[in-house]
Every structure is written in structure tokens, then in C-alpha cells.
């Protein structure tokens, strides 16, 4: 069975973008893969996180993943800081990846913004840690949203250079799994910007813990244009906000843009937004309820994550020890 790895940052409440672009696809892969799901707290601190908030958000993120259907008995769920192998392999990868490669990363440019000199060095080497997350398990399939494509290409470049430099075939090639009509969910306020947990405007996103009234209000206020929905997919070109709402509807109903337009084409946004709100409430309410239930027993949640970290370390430690040996470390820890 192929091994799957993916991660999500506990840098806020997960959004509909995280859910439709990534988490839902994680759940689908669980049937016929060995899956490792990770809440990546080491990545989160590449930008400032209040310590108490980070702790709470890490547990909340784990609870949301369980509520969405992550199966911790058949698969592994843990917090990244619980397995030291990630940081150990990341250091080796810091020495394999070239500055020129990192300079091309568009997410660094977006996140660092104009004040690049003041960004943390962790933010710069963020993709190296991400490569380490995946390669520490010899995972070969990685389900993500479209925004992670460039990082996964870099993870393959790092693996190839490591294999080449040390004359081995140690790290396998990884295949991005980027699926569905919502691989890039856009902001509700601006159809050209990605929906993000860290956007300063809460109106720009649906959070997985929004209640029915909040969802209704955000969808009612979502930016649209004055024309009715087209009946053909071509009619969505140059209408990013319309394309986004149709894509969200399609993902929630497991169809595609064309089928949604067949049903709703010619309609104004008023009735379509009502139908979308009903659908969102129907899908998200059980997740919110289950998340609160799981968070009411934090001790049990921490035990579950600790056991996940132990099982993850049992896979990653020997792989990273072997990478260290290949590099030429004497390996005192192996006794
Ligand atoms: P993060 O926390 O930003 O996002 C988690 C997942 O959600 C997807 N995503 C979206 N998909 C569609 N539309 C959106 N608006 C949207 N916003 C986010 C992301 O593509 C991602 O799949 N670097 C990763 C975390 C990570 C990781 C890894 C992923 C760390 N190590 C190893 C895979 C493998 C990230 O930024 O996650």
C-alpha cells in the first residue's frame, strides 16, 4: 500500500478552503492507503504565534481533523513537534536545498511581503521542513490544495539532489494529489485572492466552527457580480467570484462546475446563495458539534496524539538515522 503524508498548520481555525482543498481528500484516501496526518506546529511558528493560542489551536486542529473523519485507529494523527525526526531531517535538507531554489518560492514572497528583511529565517526554509515531513516517512503521495504545488516540486528536487550527491536511491519521488473543483477556494471578498486562515478579514472566509447564522451572513455578503449565473462553464471566465461559489457548491455535492450550472444556470445569485448556505450548514454543523465534543476531553485528545507521535516516530526514526549515516555522521544515538 502506498504511504500518504499531509500536514496542516494550527495557525487559526481551519477554513472551508482547507476542508474542500485538502481535508476532504485526505479522508477519501484513507480507504486504500497508509496515511500519516500531521498538525504542523513547527511550521506555524515561522510567523509569530502567541504560545497559549498555539497550544489551543493545535488541539483544536487535531479535533477538527478527527471530526472530519480522520481515523486514528487505522492511520496516524499527531503533532509535528512530537516527533524529533522532522527537525533533524530538515537540518540536513537545509544543507541540500540551494538558496536559488528557495528564492523562487512564491509563498515566501507572499508571506514575507514588503518587509522581507524582517521575516524569520524559519519562514525562508519552511519548504525544506515540509520536504523533511514527507521524506522522513518515505511517503509517495501527498494530498494538498493547489497552493502547495511548488513546495512539492521543491521536495522532489531536494530528494533528487540528496540521492545524487550521496550516490543512493534513498528518497522516493512524491506525487502531489490535487483534486476536485475546489483545489483553490478563493476569498469571499475578492475572487482573485486565496481563502486563508490568516486573512485579517473574517468575512473573507468560512471557518469550520462558524454557526448557521454566521455562514448565512457571510454568504449573503459574499462579493458577486450583477449578472445571473451562466449555463455553461465558459461563462465563468473573467467572473472569479461566481466561479468560486459554483466551485464550492460543486465540491460540497461531489460534482463539477458544469453539473452545478446545469441545475442553477440562469438563476440570480439570491436563490443560489440560499441553496449554498443550506448546503454549507448541512455539511459543517456535524463537524462543529463533533469538534466541541472532542475538545471537552483534552486529556483523551492528548493521549491519542501522543500515541500517534509514538507510532510516527517508529517509522521516521530509522529512516532519518539512515539518512544521517549516509551523510557521514558517526551516529552516537544508535549506540
Ligand atoms: P496550510 O495549513 O496552509 O493548509 C492546509 C491544506 O489546506 C490547503 N488549502 C487550500 N486548499 C484550497 N483552497 C484554499 N483556499 C486553501 N487554503 C489552504 C493547503 O493547500 C494544504 O493542503 N505547507 C502546508 C502544510 C504542510 C504540509 C507538509 C502539507 C507542512 N508540511 C507536508 C503537505 C505535506 C500548508 O501551508 O498548510
Amino acid at each position: 500500500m502506498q504511504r500518504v503524508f499531509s500536514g496542516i498548520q494550527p495557525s487559526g481555525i481551519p477554513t472551508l478552503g482547507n476542508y474542500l482543498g485538502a481535508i476532504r481528500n485526505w479522508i477519501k484516501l484513507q480507504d486504500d492507503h497508509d496515511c500519516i496526518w500531521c498538525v504542523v506546529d513547527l511550521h506555524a511558528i515561522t510567523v509569530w504565534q502567541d504560545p497559549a493560542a498555539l497550544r489551543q489551536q493545535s488541539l483544536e486542529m487535531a479535533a477538527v481533523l478527527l471530526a472530519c473523519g480522520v481515523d486514528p485507529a487505522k492511520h496516524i494523527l499527531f503533532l509535528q513537534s512530537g516527533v524529533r525526526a522532522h527537525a533533524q531531517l530538515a537540518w540536513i535538507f537545509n544543507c541540500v536545498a540551494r538558496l536559488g531554489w528557495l528564492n523562487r518560492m512564491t509563498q515566501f514572497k507572499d508571506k514575507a511581503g514588503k518587509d522581507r528583511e524582517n521575516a524569520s529565517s524559519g519562514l525562508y526554509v519552511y519548504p525544506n521542513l515540509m520536504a523533511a515531513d514527507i521524506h522522513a516517512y518515505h511517503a509517495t503521495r501527498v494530498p494538498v490544495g493547489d497552493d502547495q504545488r511548488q513546495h512539492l516540486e521543491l521536495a522532489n528536487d531536494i530528494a533528487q539532489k540528496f540521492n545524487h550527491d550521496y550516490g543512493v536511491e534513498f528518497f522516493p519521488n512524491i506525487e502531489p494529489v490535487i483534486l476536485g473543483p475546489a483545489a483553490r477556494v478563493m476569498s469571499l471578498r475578492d475572487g482573485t485572492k486565496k481563502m486563508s486562515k490568516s486573512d485579517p478579514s473574517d468575512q473573507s472566509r468560512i471557518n469550520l466552527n462558524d454557526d448557521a447564522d454566521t455562514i448565512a451572513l457571510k454568504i449573503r455578503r459574499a462579493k458577486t457580480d450583477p449578472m445571473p449565473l451562466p449555463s455553461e462553464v465558459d461563462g465563468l471566465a473573467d467572473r472569479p467570484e461566481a466561479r468560486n461559489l459554483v466551485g464550492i457548491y460543486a465540491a460540497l455535492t461531489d460534482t463539477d462546475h458544469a453539473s452545478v450550472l446545469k441545475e442553477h444556470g440562469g438563476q440570480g445569485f439570491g436563490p443560489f446563495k440560499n441553496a449554498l448556505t443550506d448546503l454549507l450548514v448541512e455539511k459543517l454543523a456535524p463537524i462543529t458539534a463533533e469538534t466541541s465534543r472532542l475538545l471537552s476531553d483534552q486529556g483523551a485528545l492528548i493521549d491519542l496524539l501522543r500515541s500517534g507521535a509514538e507510532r510516527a516516530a517508529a517509522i521516521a526514526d530509522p529512516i532519518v538515522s539512515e539518512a544521517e549515516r549516509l551523510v557521514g555522521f558517526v551516529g552516537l544515538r544508535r549506540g
Side-chain angles (χ1 to χ4, degrees), residues 270-298:
F272 181 66
K273 282 181 165 182
N274 287 341
L276 181 59
T277 300
D278 290 347
L279 196 57
L280 280 165
V281 170
E282 178 196 321
K283 300 282 178 191
L284 300 189
I287 297 177
T288 313
E290 179 62 3
T291 304
S292 318
R293 194 191 66 77
L294 288 160
L295 283 171
S296 66
D297 188 352
Q298 293 207 351

Side-chain angles (χ1 to χ4, degrees), residues 233-259:
V233 177
D234 289 352
L236 291 173
D238 305 324
R239 296 180 66 187
E241 284 83 15
R243 165 171 275 282
N244 189 37
L245 295 184
V246 171
I248 293 172
Y249 195 100
L252 288 168
T253 47
D254 268 319
T255 54
D256 53 20
H257 290 82
S259 320

Side-chain angles (χ1 to χ4, degrees), residues 69-189:
V70 157
D71 179 347
K74 283 208 202 112
H75 303 279
I76 295 178
L77 174 68
F78 69 109
L79 308 181
Q80 188 184 28
S81 57
V83 176
R84 296 194 184 282
H86 293 250
Q88 288 164 344
L89 186 59
W91 180 256
I92 294 178
F93 285 175
N94 285 342
C95 304
V96 173
R98 306 289 91 185
L99 287 184
W101 301 355
L102 295 175
N103 285 338
R104 285 195 285 276
M105 293 295 112
T106 55
Q107 285 228 334
F108 175 74
K109 290 181 199 162
D110 290 348
K111 283 199 184 169
K114 290 204 176 72
D115 197 9
R116 208 182 138 115
E117 295 290 307
N118 202 28
S120 75
S121 40
L123 188 65
Y124 193 63
V125 294
Y126 178 114
N128 298 344
L129 176 60
M130 197 168 146
D133 294 340
I134 303 163
H135 290 306
Y137 299 90
H138 279 173
T140 50
R141 305 197 80 198
V142 184
V144 285
D146 190 60
D147 61 330
Q148 297 301 311
R149 197 182 286 277
Q150 195 187 32
H151 286 159
L152 297 187
E153 284 165 10
L154 186 93
N156 274 333
D157 290 342
I158 291 175
Q160 273 172 24
K161 183 162 165 54
F162 181 99
N163 289 346
H164 173 268
D165 289 355
Y166 295 102
V168 288
E169 275 306 318
F170 186 62
F171 290 117
N173 198 55
I174 58 180
E175 179 202 343
V177 182
I178 300 173
L179 293 172
R184 183 177 281 269
V185 177
M186 309 310 277
S187 156
L188 299 178
R189 308 302 297 163

